[in-house]
Amino acid sequence: MSSGVDADVFEQLLQVVDRFARERLIPAEKRVEEENDIPEEIVAEMREMGLFGLSTPEEYGGIGLNVPQEARLIEALCYASLTFRSLIGTNVGIGAQGIVMDGTPEQKDEWLPGIASGEVIASFALTEPDNGSDAGGIRTMARRDGTDFVINGTKRFITNAVRAGVFTVFARTDPSRPGADGVSAFIVPANTPGITVATPDRKMGQRGTKTSDVIFEDVRIPETAIIGGPDNLNKGFRTAMKVLDRGRIHVSAMAVGQGQRMLDIATDYALERKQFGKPIGEHQLVQGLLADCQADLHAARALVHATAETFDREGKAILEASCAKYFCTEAAGRIADRALQIHGGAGYMSEYDIERLYRDIRLLRIYEGTSQIQQLVIARRTLAARAA
Ligand code: COS
């Protein structure tokens, strides 16, 4: 098991983040929704707290949480709007983990301190207009030119692209191999000539998060920018998959944090709101909705913790991470639906938080692998294990 930070230090940090989410972030949620951005003073506070470097190893200036600790901390942070998490999410997770997991010592020295402090935002550029679930079908090309590569292509829905200082970019380096085998991962500074970041997308929820197309036109980078160095040519798909496995545990923890928030809101409403002469929480059908939320939440939380422990112990948890992401995000969707139902007509009105949380949570079943991709991974591995 990887050590993570000392247990006492971690418990203190957890309390600080829990308080920060409840006392600082939740009161700012409506402003974020209206302004479609996170106030600068909150960004600065998140930097000061070291949140950008939660999972960066301590030797590079991060806090160095292990995966079980990261899961508990992300659950606490995600009691508040998911938008706040998205600001640090690519540095803690998918944008940076390729460098943490597979980078050379030089690449780590160059990039991880800035990523840990939040001075550099790292962004993960995998998805394309024609390739999301089929990650091995990447069309962005990186053509060799001497000891350089020249990248051309478009990436889509790239979180934090407008804020990025560096992209981890997945591009095809061997056109003769159309699938996962011909893909490499590159570290591309965002100021490299030829990169255009489009205007951020308008989305259903999670206002204040920034996703955009990123267009690469003749972007020239040296072969030393391949994650892990030139020897890792054509091995980028595995880096992407490893990053996503870990990311799926992270997303599961987000679902639990939001699930708890929605259940608390629905419970408070059930205690206050009266119909037929008594609080609706005293009506058994409403109790049934609350009970189903609580059972889903307990199961989801237990699954995240167990999966995080497995990842920490074994260094991977492919089947388990897909099970967790599938179950926890679907459970959060069910909790959102019931919590809104408990609110009745009020739940459909934007002055109630549940309307916004319901929209925000919808994305969890889609990004970092849709529920259907998780089903596919789970089923393939289940069949393969019995067939072996
Ligand atoms: N960890 C490490 N290696 C992995 C892996 C994982 N989780 N999953 C697959 N690999 C390896 C395989 O072992 C295989 O290597 P070998 O050829 O040496 O055996 C290689 O990668 C190709 O794997 P596979 O044949 O399973 O690839 P597929 O093209 O069939 O794709 C899925 C597999 C669908 C699971 C993959 O494309 C995927 O996860 N898609 C969803 C992507 C996603 O989450 N997109 C969201 C974008 S980021 S917000």
Side-chain angles (χ1 to χ4, degrees):
M1 177 166 167
S2 86
S3 54
V5 293
D6 174 80
D8 291 341
V9 174
F10 175 70
E11 292 305 328
Q12 279 175 18
L13 178 66
L14 188 61
Q15 275 182 26
V16 169
V17 170
D18 187 61
R19 206 175 323 120
F20 182 64
R22 287 164 197 263
E23 295 175 7
R24 185 77 178 103
L25 299 184
I26 288 178
E29 284 179 353
K30 289 211 164 70
R31 185 172 158 202
V32 170
E33 184 76 4
E34 276 156 25
E35 296 177 3
N36 194 19
D37 213 348
I38 303 174
E40 264 316 307
E41 61 271 23
I42 290 186
V43 176
E45 284 171 57
M46 291 173 82
R47 266 202 202 108
E48 272 162 38
M49 290 170 74
L51 296 183
F52 288 87
L54 286 179
S55 303
T56 315
E58 277 179 283
E59 57 196 296
Y60 299 105
I63 295 181
L65 301 184
N66 61 26
V67 177
Q69 289 171 337
E70 178 184 319
R72 288 181 62 205
L73 201 114
I74 289 299
E75 179 189 334
L77 184 68
C78 290
Y79 195 70
S81 162
L82 294 177
T83 296
F84 300 111
R85 198 281 335 173
S86 100
L87 178 67
I88 62 153
T90 53
N91 278 33
V92 171
I94 55 176
Q97 281 298 323
I99 303 174
V100 173
M101 289 176 176
D102 287 343
T104 62
E106 294 75 27
Q107 289 169 343
K108 292 181 187 186
D109 284 341
E110 182 176 358
W111 292 106
L112 293 183
I115 287 173
S117 69
E119 272 161 60
V120 176
I121 298 293
S123 189
F124 180 76
L126 174 69
T127 300
E128 300 181 347
D130 294 321
N131 289 289
S133 292
D134 182 9
I138 282 172
R139 290 192 187 176
T140 294
M141 294 297 302
R143 180 178 48 80
R144 186 183 270 288
D145 183 16
T147 55
D148 289 346
F149 282 88
V150 179
I151 303 181
N152 280 285
T154 300
K155 298 291 180 179
R156 179 145 293 172
F157 309 143
I158 304 307
T159 301
N160 286 336
V162 283
R163 299 172 169 129
V166 65
F167 293 99
T168 47
V169 180
F170 297 84
R172 187 162 302 284
T173 33
D174 186 347
S176 70
R177 290 193 269 181
D181 280 343
V183 172
S184 300
F186 293 93
I187 303 173
V188 183
N191 60 5
T192 311
I195 298 179
T196 308
V197 178
T199 312
D201 306 310
R202 294 178 62 194
K203 297 186 287 294
M204 174 184 185
Q206 298 200 22
R207 279 175 66 78
T209 61
K210 303 290 174 192
T211 64
S212 327
D213 277 11
V214 184
I215 299 119
F216 295 83
E217 284 171 302
D218 293 330
V219 175
R220 181 174 287 273
I221 37 153
E223 63 179 1
T224 49
I226 293 176
I227 294 184
D231 288 349
N232 267 5
L233 185 68
N234 296 327
K235 294 187 185 150
F237 184 78
R238 279 161 202 76
T239 300
M241 289 297 117
K242 284 194 281 180
V243 166
L244 286 171
D245 281 338
R246 196 178 187 286
R248 286 165 186 169
I249 303 174
H250 181 110
V251 175
S252 307
M254 293 163 60
V256 174
Q258 285 278 284
Q260 184 68 61
R261 171 85 181 279
M262 293 186 291
L263 174 56
D264 289 351
I265 289 175
T267 307
D268 290 346
Y269 192 80
L271 286 165
E272 274 165 28
R273 170 79 175 164
K274 290 197 177 68
Q275 289 292 278
F276 303 101
K278 56 184 178 183
I280 59 171
E282 290 180 24
H283 294 295
Q284 287 188 345
L285 290 179
V286 173
Q287 290 179 353
L289 292 170
L290 288 171
D292 287 352
C293 290
Q294 188 66 277
D296 263 338
L297 189 59
H298 267 68
R301 183 176 284 122
L303 187 54
V304 176
H305 292 176
T307 306
E309 296 289 345
T310 303
F311 188 97
D312 210 35
R313 201 174 48 244
E314 297 179 12
K316 63 177 184 174
I318 299 175
L319 172 77
E320 294 87 342
S322 281
C323 288
K325 207 253 173 194
Y326 179 43
F327 182 82
C328 296
T329 60
E330 292 286 337
R334 292 192 293 271
I335 293 170
D337 195 63
R338 295 182 198 115
L340 195 148
Q341 190 70 16
I342 288 169
H343 281 72
Y348 205 68
M349 302 298 144
S350 17
E351 67 247 49
Y352 287 83
D353 287 343
I354 192 63
E355 182 270 341
R356 171 169 45 81
L357 299 174
Y358 179 93
R359 287 185 285 108
D360 287 354
I361 203 83
R362 188 63 185 83
L363 185 57
L364 297 191
R365 288 147 67 190
I366 298 171
Y367 62 7
E368 301 200 26
T370 60
S371 287
Q372 290 64 39
I373 285 294
Q374 309 311 331
Q375 287 177 301
L376 189 143
V377 172
I378 296 163
R380 277 187 188 177
R381 288 188 174 261
T382 303
L383 290 163
R386 291 297 287 180

